[in-house]
Amino acid sequence: MLALIQRVTQAQVTVDGAVVGAIGPGLLALVGIEPGDGEAQARRMAQRLLGYRVFEDANGKMNRSLTDTGGQLLLVSQFTLAADTRSGMRPSFTSAATPDMARREFDRLLAICRALHPPGVETGRFGAHMVVSLVNDGPVTFLLRP
């Protein structure tokens, strides 16, 4: 499991012209599920997403987490993130989980995050063609693995 996180002032996901998920200040996380991911990876990723210190404190240092700030989280499933791009000029998706497994593990991650983060967790629509809009704050972007 991997997540590309971006600190945002706002972000939203649109499917077929309708907004299906939107947040104000917080984190956008594009999530890729890999074969072998399970409950342990989902729990650890949830801890990292909610606890990773990417927000500034009073001294301008990145010492505050999403939990500390009460910001929102937008989780978006993105199988292309798990692509193997090491060779050639076309990505291979053999390193990504099957759609059924990916949906199960993404839903597990979503449920854990929602249970642990009352300020709000939004999502896109699994398997849909999504248009993701965001305003990156910083810019601040990190690749997380559990």
Side-chain angles (χ1 to χ4, degrees):
M1 186 174 295
L2 58 161
L4 183 71
I5 63 168
Q6 298 180 70
R7 186 177 73 187
V8 299
T9 58
Q10 62 186 14
Q12 71 176 26
V13 178
T14 305
V15 176
D16 295 329
V19 174
V20 296
I23 63 168
L27 288 179
L28 165 65
L30 304 174
V31 179
I33 308 294
E34 300 170 302
D37 286 341
E39 185 173 355
Q41 289 77 18
R43 289 200 177 282
R44 177 66 177 139
M45 183 59 78
Q47 290 174 341
R48 298 207 73 206
L49 291 170
L50 300 175
Y52 208 66
R53 298 182 301 170
V54 298
F55 297 93
E56 294 178 355
D57 63 15
N59 297 318
K61 302 289 183 194
M62 285 189 197
N63 279 327
R64 300 183 74 215
S65 69
L66 196 62
T67 299
D68 297 331
T69 65
Q72 296 176 300
L73 176 62
L74 177 57
L75 290 177
V76 178
S77 176
Q78 186 175 352
F79 82 95
T80 61
L81 193 57
D84 183 350
T85 60
R86 292 176 289 183
S87 66
M89 298 304 286
R90 181 177 174 187
S92 167
F93 297 105
T94 58
S95 54
T98 64
D100 288 343
M101 182 205 166
R103 179 184 295 267
R104 182 178 62 248
E105 296 310 319
F106 181 81
D107 287 348
R108 184 191 317 257
L109 175 63
L110 178 61
I112 293 168
C113 288
R114 283 184 169 159
L116 296 175
H117 196 65
V121 180
E122 295 286 319
T123 189
R125 186 172 299 150
F126 189 93
H129 178 89
M130 296 177 275
V131 176
V132 180
S133 305
L134 66 127
V135 178
N136 191 315
D137 181 20
V140 173
T141 304
F142 294 96
L143 180 61
L144 298 181
R145 289 195 173 269

